[in-house]
């Protein structure tokens, strides 16, 4: 039986007789023809899912669940996720998990120095792969026979794996679970929002770069968060100028022709958490799978990361 039609599960731009995103007829009813959300609704999880109580029980031991989002690809979501995870795990009393739901382009294993590792199973479920004692990671990258294998999956199969990451992984007691997402507002994002609805999402950090071509897609991501009731913790402007590692001089690489993240934050009435400049050593650290802030603590980019992370940590104290 389909959930009742209600304003809560009907998108703002839906056709007049929209059955609702959680209906069994979502994306299939005659009213869905021509709707821009049709494909996403048809493939998204809907109806009372028997796995939800299991996910909620598993997530009960996770204090804070944070999504890292951006409508645009290549803006540095995974690199930010990794640096945030490394920084949070500096506190030996904090337990941190990273869940990589970028099914088709998992880069977290490489960025966190775990390339070639595999998932192990125990009586309590799948075990995360640990970077260090208090920092565990789960990614489809650990499940591929060959790291260069393409993952060619439709929505339902992606949804199923994300459900397993939430339901079957023995995350243990965590202070923070960081969810690294692919670009866009599609299957993976809808799945995470749906599966974590009961257990609660603390919020999303939205990543952008200064130029308008990125901001256009980030506006859509912010709109997505508001439509599915995910709080926005703030906006981070990545690649905000280039800092020379030698002279520390700064150059503008991506001109903020429409005001960059600062103008967008004001326009959308959200917090600007900070700006992180380009430093070529960030890319080097990601390729090597090490913490950039540990390797280059004197970089202006490290200071910018720390300022953003301090603001985030202050929210959860």
């Amino acid at each position: 039986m389909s959930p009742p039609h209600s304003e809560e599960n009907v998108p703002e731009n839906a056709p007049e007789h929209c059955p609702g995103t959680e209906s069994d007829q979502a994306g299939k009813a005659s009213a869905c023809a021509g709707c821009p959300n049709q494909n996403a609704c048809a493939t998204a999880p809907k109806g009372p899912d028997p796995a939800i109580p299991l996910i909620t029980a598993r997530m009960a031991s996770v204090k804070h669940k944070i999504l890292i989002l951006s409508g645009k690809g290549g803006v540095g979501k995974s690199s930010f996720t990794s640096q945030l995870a490394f920084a949070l795990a500096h506190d030996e009393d904090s337990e941190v998990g990273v869940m990589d739901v970028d099914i088709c382009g998992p880069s977290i294993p490489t960025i966190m120095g775990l390339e070639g590792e595999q998932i192990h199973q125990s009586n309590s479920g799948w075990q995360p792969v640990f970077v260090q004692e208090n920092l565990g990671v789960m990614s489809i990258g650990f499940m591929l026979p060959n790291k260069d294998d393409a993952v060619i999956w439709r929505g339902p199969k992606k949804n199923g794996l994300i459900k397993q990451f939430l339901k079957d992984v023995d995350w243990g007691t965590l202070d923070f679970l960081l969810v690294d997402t692919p670009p866009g507002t599609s299957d993976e994002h809808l799945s995470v929002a749906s599966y974590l609805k009961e257990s609660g999402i603390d919020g999303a950090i939205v990543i952008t770069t200064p130029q308008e071509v990125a901001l256009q897609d980030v506006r859509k991501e912010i709109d997505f968060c508001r439509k599915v009731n995910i709080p926005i913790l703030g906006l981070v402007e990545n690649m905000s100028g280039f800092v020379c590692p030698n002279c520390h001089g700064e150059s503008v690489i991506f001109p903020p022709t429409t005001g960059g993240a600062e103008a967008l934050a004001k326009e959308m009435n959200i917090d600007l958490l900070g700006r992180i400049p380009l430093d070529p050593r960030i890319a080097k650290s990601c390729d090597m799978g090490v913490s950039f802030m540990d390797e280059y603590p004197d970089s202006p980019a490290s200071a910018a990361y720390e300022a953003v992370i301090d603001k985030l940590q202050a929210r959860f104290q």
Side-chain angles (χ1 to χ4, degrees), residues 10 28 68 109 185 251:
V10 176
K28 302 173 185 177
I68 289 79
T185 56
S251 304

Side-chain angles (χ1 to χ4, degrees), residues 102-140:
D102 191 342
I103 306 299
C104 296
S107 54
I108 284 291
T110 297
I111 291 175
M112 302 202 73
L114 299 172
E115 193 171 356
E117 296 288 341
Q118 294 182 334
I119 296 170
H120 299 284
Q121 193 160 4
S122 70
N123 292 335
S124 57
W126 293 357
Q127 297 301 304
V129 178
F130 284 90
V131 180
Q132 57 195 57
E133 190 175 343
N134 65 336
L135 176 53
V137 177
M138 182 55 65
S139 171
I140 192 176

Side-chain angles (χ1 to χ4, degrees), residues 56-198:
T56 303
R58 183 74 84 175
M59 291 292 107
S61 58
V62 178
K63 288 184 183 177
H64 303 297
K65 295 169 281 293
I66 301 172
L67 311 185
I68 289 79
L69 304 172
S70 178
K72 194 68 176 174
V75 297
K77 292 182 298 301
S78 296
S79 60
F80 180 85
T81 301
S82 66
Q83 297 309 312
L84 177 57
F86 281 128
L88 292 172
H90 271 180
D91 181 354
E92 293 180 359
D93 294 328
S94 287
E95 298 292 332
V96 183
V98 175
M99 187 173 81
D100 181 8
V101 299
D102 191 342
I103 306 299
C104 296
S107 54
I108 284 291
T110 297
I111 291 175
M112 302 202 73
L114 299 172
E115 193 171 356
E117 296 288 341
Q118 294 182 334
I119 296 170
H120 299 284
Q121 193 160 4
S122 70
N123 292 335
S124 57
W126 293 357
Q127 297 301 304
V129 178
F130 284 90
V131 180
Q132 57 195 57
E133 190 175 343
N134 65 336
L135 176 53
V137 177
M138 182 55 65
S139 171
I140 192 176
F142 302 136
M143 305 167 72
L144 301 176
N146 184 318
K147 68 176 183 177
D148 296 326
D149 287 349
V151 180
I152 309 171
W153 288 2
R154 295 188 185 274
K157 200 165 183 181
K158 292 180 181 180
N159 298 338
L161 183 63
I162 292 170
K163 184 188 295 185
Q164 284 188 282
F165 281 178
L166 292 168
K167 175 174 65 75
D168 297 335
V169 174
D170 182 15
W171 290 105
T173 300
L174 293 181
D175 293 286
F176 297 95
L177 177 63
L178 309 179
V179 182
D180 185 40
T181 66
T185 56
S186 191
D187 295 301
E188 295 90 338
H189 311 79
L190 286 167
S191 294
V192 170
S194 174
Y195 295 143
L196 291 179
K197 187 174 182 179
E198 284 192 15

Side-chain angles (χ1 to χ4, degrees), residues 257-288:
T257 54
T258 57
E262 183 175 4
L264 178 61
K266 290 178 181 177
E267 173 192 339
M268 294 291 190
N269 194 29
I270 59 177
D271 290 340
L272 177 61
L273 295 173
R275 299 184 185 88
I276 300 171
L278 275 168
D279 185 323
R281 296 172 298 185
I282 295 176
K284 179 181 177 182
S285 298
C286 289
D287 284 350
M288 293 175 62

